[in-house]
Every structure is written in structure tokens, then in C-alpha cells.
């Protein structure tokens, strides 16, 4: 899957970046709600991330897949739910999944397209494995990944 960066492509990337910012703000709101009045340090320790990282995620900035995964596990939500995949459709549409994973990668213009495509496939596989572990009860909210 190669993304053509014509004007239409640039508009699409801009729209995807807006969607990503909105999605990350939503994740941050869920995280703040779940943490409640608990100290940042305590929640961060449970999640398995640094308190400053937790503060960044709560403000809508999530810089890497591992942090995203740890937060989702702690919230006990499927990463696919946050990324907008259809939950009731037992099987994801791979093209849609790849497109959404690419959105994260294309927001960093220093990532070559071929690498972004390969990483998108890796992200999809990681999310599928995490979802399987959650379904089978192998991962819970306090387990560190």
C-alpha cells in the first residue's frame, strides 16, 4: 500500500492527523476519568510507565505503541476500540486497519513510506495479539506488558 502525496493525499493526511489528535484526547479523558483522584505517581506505577509519560497521555499525547498498549490494558479496553475498529465484527477489515495504523506513522514525516507500511502491519498484529490475550484472560488492567 503506497500513499500518493498529491494534494488529495495531503488533505487526507491532514484529516487523519486531526482524527488522531481527537482520538488521543479521548484516550487521555478516559485515563483521567479512570485515575480519578488517585495520585499520578500511583497510577503510573500500576500502568508501568513514568509519571511524566502518564501526564502527557492524559493531555492527548501518546508517543509510542508500548505506552498506548499499557494504557489500554490498564483501562481494560481493546486498543481496536480506541482506534475505531468495529468491535462486533469478529474480524477486522485489514485494509481499514492498515489505513488507521498508517495514520499514526505518517504523522511523522521522517518515516519512509515502506517502513510505515511494514510498521502498520506489525501494529495490527500486536493489537490482534493483545486482544486475544485480553479475551483469554491472560492480561488484566494491572499487568505490565
Amino acid at each position: 500500500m503506497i500513499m500518493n502525496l498529491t494534494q488529495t493525499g495531503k488533505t487526507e493526511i491532514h484529516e487523519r492527523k486531526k482524527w488522531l489528535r481527537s482520538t488521543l484526547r479521548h484516550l487521555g479523558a478516559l485515563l483521567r476519568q479512570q485515575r480519578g483522584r488517585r495520585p499520578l505517581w500511583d497510577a503510573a506505577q500500576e500502568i508501568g510507565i513514568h509519571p511524566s509519560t502518564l501526564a502527557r497521555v492524559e493531555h492527548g499525547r501518546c508517543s509510542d505503541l508500548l505506552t498506548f498498549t499499557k494504557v489500554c490494558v490498564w483501562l481494560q479496553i481493546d486498543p481496536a476500540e480506541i482506534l475505531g475498529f468495529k468491535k462486533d465484527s469478529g474480524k477486522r477489515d485489514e485494509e481499514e486497519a492498515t489505513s488507521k495504523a498508517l495514520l499514526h506513522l505518517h504523522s511523522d514525516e521522517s518515516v519512509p513510506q515502506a517502513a510505515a507500511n511494514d510498521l502498520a502491519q506489525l501494529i495490527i498484529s500486536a493489537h490482534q495479539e493483545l486482544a486475544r490475550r485480553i479475551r483469554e484472560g491472560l492480561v488484566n488492567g494491572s499487568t505490565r506488558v
Side-chain angles (χ1 to χ4, degrees):
M1 175 186 302
I2 296 179
M3 184 175 261
N4 183 2
L5 291 181
T6 62
Q7 185 58 38
T8 303
K10 288 179 183 179
T11 301
E12 184 177 332
I13 289 173
H14 177 71
E15 289 302 314
R16 288 179 176 186
K17 285 181 182 181
K18 282 177 33 182
W19 175 85
L20 175 60
R21 285 189 295 272
S22 173
T23 300
L24 293 177
R25 281 192 302 269
H26 176 66
L27 180 65
L30 290 173
L31 192 51
R32 283 189 305 277
Q33 180 181 6
Q34 180 70 23
R35 182 170 67 87
R37 294 183 166 273
R38 296 181 58 209
L40 196 70
W41 178 260
D42 290 349
Q45 189 172 11
E46 264 186 40
I47 296 168
I49 59 177
H50 194 275
S52 63
T53 301
L54 176 55
R56 282 193 299 276
V57 175
E58 284 188 354
H59 288 93
R61 296 184 311 268
C62 189
S63 60
D64 62 79
L65 179 60
L66 181 59
T67 298
F68 176 76
T69 301
K70 286 181 177 185
V71 167
C72 288
V73 167
W74 189 74
L75 290 171
Q76 296 182 347
I77 56 176
D78 186 340
E81 188 178 329
I82 292 294
L83 294 173
F85 297 126
K86 296 177 182 98
K87 196 155 176 73
D88 53 359
S89 72
K91 198 171 188 178
R92 293 184 196 140
D93 174 17
E94 189 155 326
E95 189 172 315
E96 179 185 350
T98 302
S99 176
K100 288 188 178 190
L102 278 169
L103 129 79
H104 291 279
L105 297 166
H106 281 290
S107 64
D108 180 353
E109 295 173 4
S110 67
V111 177
Q113 287 182 355
N117 292 338
D118 291 344
L119 288 169
Q121 292 302 319
L122 180 64
I123 289 168
I124 291 164
S125 296
H127 285 172
Q128 289 170 340
E129 176 61 17
L130 177 60
R132 182 192 66 79
R133 289 180 184 191
I134 290 170
R135 277 192 314 275
E136 293 178 5
L138 301 173
V139 176
N140 64 43
S142 62
T143 302
R144 292 184 181 168
V145 177

